[in-house]
Amino acid sequence: MTEAGTAVLERDWTKGNAIWLAVQKKDDDCLVLNSNDIDDYFKHEVGRPRLPCHKDLGNSTRIFGAAKLVVAVAVFLLTFYVISQVFEIKMDTSLGNLFARSALDTAARSTKPPRYKCGISKACPEKHFAFKMASGAANVVGPKICLEDNVLMSGVKNNVGRGINVALANGKTGEVLDTKYFDMWGGDVAPFIEFLKSIPDGTIVLMGTYDDGATKLNDEARHLIAELGSTSITNLAFRDNWVFCGGKGIKTKSPFEQHIKNNKETNKYEGWPEVVEMEGCIPQKQD
């Protein structure tokens, strides 16, 4: 038991810094001193070892610990507040950008021109079939024929070939009836003539050349194509590019025809002219 008037010094190992406690039993008080202050205190207080202290060591320790806890909580809350504010600002910015992009996308979609059948430039009126076609490019890329947003012939479909490529469609419904190509360079024109003769009245006829579509053409074949509404067929020559849309039983010349001559001075490709393209709206056959 400690004598009255004497100070008992104990070290509290529970603190991060070495805290020394001076306990005075007589006054039932204690004084908490930092380890750096102990020597200085007794150097100047020799003869007066009575120390103003609290009742017990435990209360002092708990008070000091509580103070540190309060400070730690305050620092944590402040840090959390700052982080939350920064995050909220970034989130607001991100959401703002997101909404801005969404608005721009909506505006872009609203201003984007509509797509029409076969990719033509404008919609066809009622009771008309939309079509678009292109001749072949040199002897590399085959022709393409599209009717009512249905690709009838193309290199991708692997149903095109050198010569004259032909697609037939029902004049009332637009339904595809047949697709064929006839080699007018190394083939025979006879099968082509028989094919032209067999086309029924009211049939839509679409034709496009690839590589060479004229070398084997004779007068009979040219005449049969002219009866479908073609004007340029009589002048079609070696490696000319040509696209045509007509019909069996047509009473007038077709407005749907494009022809470009093979001319070494103006050819786009070596030995071949540029591709010719055409689009339009074919009137539906009426009863």
Side-chain angles (χ1 to χ4, degrees):
M1 180 68 68
T2 307
E3 295 294 336
T6 62
V8 177
L9 299 180
E10 299 180 3
R11 188 171 186 175
D12 180 10
W13 295 95
T14 63
K15 304 296 183 293
N17 296 324
I19 301 299
W20 289 81
L21 306 177
V23 181
Q24 179 110 27
K25 292 296 183 180
K26 183 174 182 179
D27 293 343
D28 287 335
D29 284 330
C30 68
L31 176 66
V32 178
L33 297 176
N34 188 280
S35 58
N36 296 327
D37 300 329
I38 289 292
D39 292 339
D40 186 64
Y41 179 85
F42 283 104
K43 184 183 298 181
H44 296 87
E45 300 294 334
V46 176
R48 291 190 298 160
R50 301 172 65 81
L51 307 174
C53 302
H54 292 289
K55 184 173 182 181
D56 63 47
L57 185 69
N59 287 338
S60 256
T61 303
R62 284 193 294 272
I63 291 171
F64 186 79
K68 289 186 68 175
L69 179 61
V70 170
V71 172
V73 171
V75 171
F76 171 77
L77 292 176
L78 178 61
T79 303
F80 178 78
Y81 173 77
V82 172
I83 293 175
S84 65
Q85 291 299 308
V86 172
F87 179 75
E88 185 175 356
I89 291 173
K90 289 184 177 179
M91 178 178 289
D92 290 343
T93 303
S94 298
L95 289 175
N97 292 335
L98 178 62
F99 289 131
R101 288 197 299 269
S102 178
L104 289 174
D105 291 343
T106 302
R109 285 194 297 271
S110 63
T111 57
K112 184 178 179 180
R115 182 191 178 280
Y116 302 112
K117 292 179 179 179
C118 291
I120 65 176
S121 57
K122 61 181 181 179
C124 289
E126 290 186 10
K127 297 182 178 181
H128 283 71
F129 300 122
F131 80 95
K132 187 172 184 178
M133 53 195 307
S135 68
N139 60 349
V140 178
V141 180
K144 183 175 181 180
I145 300 175
C146 176
L147 179 67
E148 280 294 283
D149 229 17
N150 180 22
V151 177
L152 308 183
M153 302 185 75
S154 72
V156 174
K157 294 178 71 72
N158 197 30
N159 63 347
V160 296
R162 182 176 64 182
I164 296 180
N165 294 259
V166 186
L168 305 181
N170 187 298
K172 292 183 179 180
T173 65
E175 179 186 2
V176 60
L177 300 176
D178 200 1
T179 59
K180 278 185 170 56
Y181 62 90
F182 299 89
D183 187 353
M184 294 293 99
W185 167 254
D188 186 357
V189 71
F192 185 35
I193 291 173
E194 293 303 316
F195 177 80
L196 293 173
K197 288 180 178 180
S198 68
I199 298 174
D201 284 349
T203 300
I204 297 171
V205 183
L206 303 105
M207 296 185 178
T209 58
Y210 179 29
D211 190 2
D212 173 36
T215 298
K216 292 294 181 71
L217 279 180
N218 58 18
D219 290 341
E220 184 180 7
R222 293 177 189 270
H223 176 73
L224 291 170
I225 296 173
E227 287 185 338
L228 299 174
S230 172
T231 302
S232 300
I233 189 63
T234 55
N235 299 318
L236 189 66
F238 173 68
R239 287 186 176 176
D240 287 358
N241 272 341
W242 172 70
V243 288
F244 163 71
C245 176
K248 186 64 175 287
I250 191 172
K251 303 302 180 182
T252 60
K253 292 300 181 181
S254 172
F256 304 122
E257 188 170 28
Q258 295 290 329
H259 176 213
I260 185 169
K261 298 293 291 182
N262 171 24
N263 186 330
K264 64 180 181 179
E265 301 297 330
T266 59
N267 283 346
K268 183 174 181 179
Y269 310 105
E270 184 178 356
W272 290 270
E274 63 182 304
V275 172
V276 287
E277 296 181 307
M278 181 174 63
E279 65 176 50
C281 302
I282 307 168
Q284 181 181 7
K285 186 178 185 304
Q286 304 298 316
D287 291 330

